[in-house]
Amino acid sequence: MAVSEIRQATVKRKTSETDIALFLRIDGLGEAEVDTGIGFFDHMLKSFAKHGLFDLKLKVTGDLIVDCHHTIEDVGIVLGEAIKEAIGDKMSIKRYGDIILPMDETLIMCAIDLSGRPYLGFESTFTADSVGYFDTQMVKEFFYAISYSAGMNLHIRKIAGENDHHIIEGMFKAFAKALDEATVKDTRIKTILSTKGSL
């Protein structure tokens, strides 16, 4: 695992279920090269990079012959680790980010606190078991994995929505926008945004 001063991280993780190599640059241009073996998941991760202005490179070999669970969950773990490593000591970052994001009939709320304390609040329902080869029950598992490996307080809520594709894509985009806001450095913040002096 390597991290540079320009807020980027490379994380590799290999288990009997998945083999993952991920590069994340926080201060990027929204460029992505993603291959997870799950087309809809690739689309969501590319949307995450584009709308958060993160650069993302990801290659996954997973046990998709079993199902998509291990691949999606383990990518969440690795992405969370990369976020944590890339933002480093959290000096001068805004820490909080939130958005209410519309996508057609769908409205998604996402709020983040890069507090160092993991917690996921997730409220949504889906009408289908899957979108493409992506199981809808894995949406919560993915964001749970990120929140705990990154050490972030993450709330995602569907306010309105009927189309599962729109709901899930809205969540990935809202997460990206909120994370972008939370990781921005503010020149008015001279140290770490906490009365405790650490996050």
Side-chain angles (χ1 to χ4, degrees):
M1 189 179 299
V3 184
S4 80
E5 293 180 357
I6 57 170
R7 301 207 301 173
Q8 65 185 33
T10 298
V11 180
K12 295 182 179 180
R13 183 177 191 266
K14 186 173 183 178
T15 71
S16 61
E17 297 167 342
T18 58
D19 187 355
I20 301 173
L22 183 148
F23 168 81
L24 175 71
R25 180 180 292 123
I26 295 293
D27 306 301
L29 300 172
E31 298 174 348
E33 297 176 18
V34 177
D35 181 7
T36 67
I38 306 167
F40 182 74
F41 193 31
D42 291 354
H43 176 43
M44 294 301 98
L45 292 167
K46 289 175 183 177
S47 292
F48 160 77
K50 176 65 70 175
H51 291 275
L53 297 174
F54 308 122
D55 291 340
L56 177 66
K57 292 183 180 180
L58 174 63
K59 175 64 178 176
V60 184
T61 302
D63 58 353
L64 295 179
I65 195 169
V66 176
D67 66 8
C68 66
H69 187 112
H70 299 139
T71 295
I72 295 170
E73 182 177 45
D74 288 4
V75 169
I77 292 169
V78 172
L79 180 56
E81 290 175 356
I83 292 168
K84 183 177 181 178
E85 292 295 329
I87 59 178
D89 60 10
K90 303 180 184 177
M91 192 71 67
S92 301
I93 65 168
K94 288 188 173 182
R95 174 180 168 178
Y96 297 97
D98 65 87
I99 190 170
I100 296 177
L101 185 137
M103 183 171 176
D104 297 334
E105 88 294 349
T106 296
L107 194 63
I108 302 294
M109 181 278 291
C110 181
I112 290 173
D113 176 11
L114 296 175
S115 61
R117 298 184 302 276
Y119 184 84
L120 175 68
F122 185 92
E123 293 185 22
S124 183
T125 56
F126 302 101
T127 56
D129 292 334
S130 64
V131 178
Y133 294 100
F134 184 104
D135 292 351
T136 52
Q137 65 179 350
M138 289 307 301
V139 180
K140 181 178 180 180
E141 297 299 325
F142 174 73
F143 287 115
Y144 177 90
I146 290 177
S147 66
Y148 273 75
S149 60
M152 71 169 68
N153 187 317
L154 172 60
H155 289 261
I156 299 176
R157 178 179 298 176
K158 181 187 79 172
I159 298 172
E162 298 175 358
N163 183 290
D164 288 341
H165 186 131
H166 293 165
I167 294 166
I168 298 168
E169 187 168 347
M171 288 178 173
F172 274 77
K173 289 178 178 178
F175 174 65
K177 300 298 287 185
L179 182 62
D180 180 40
E181 181 180 6
T183 56
V184 165
K185 291 201 172 191
D186 189 325
T187 56
R188 297 171 298 171
I189 305 170
K190 302 302 181 185
T191 56
I192 292 172
L193 193 59
S194 172
T195 55
K196 296 190 294 293
S198 66
L199 290 171

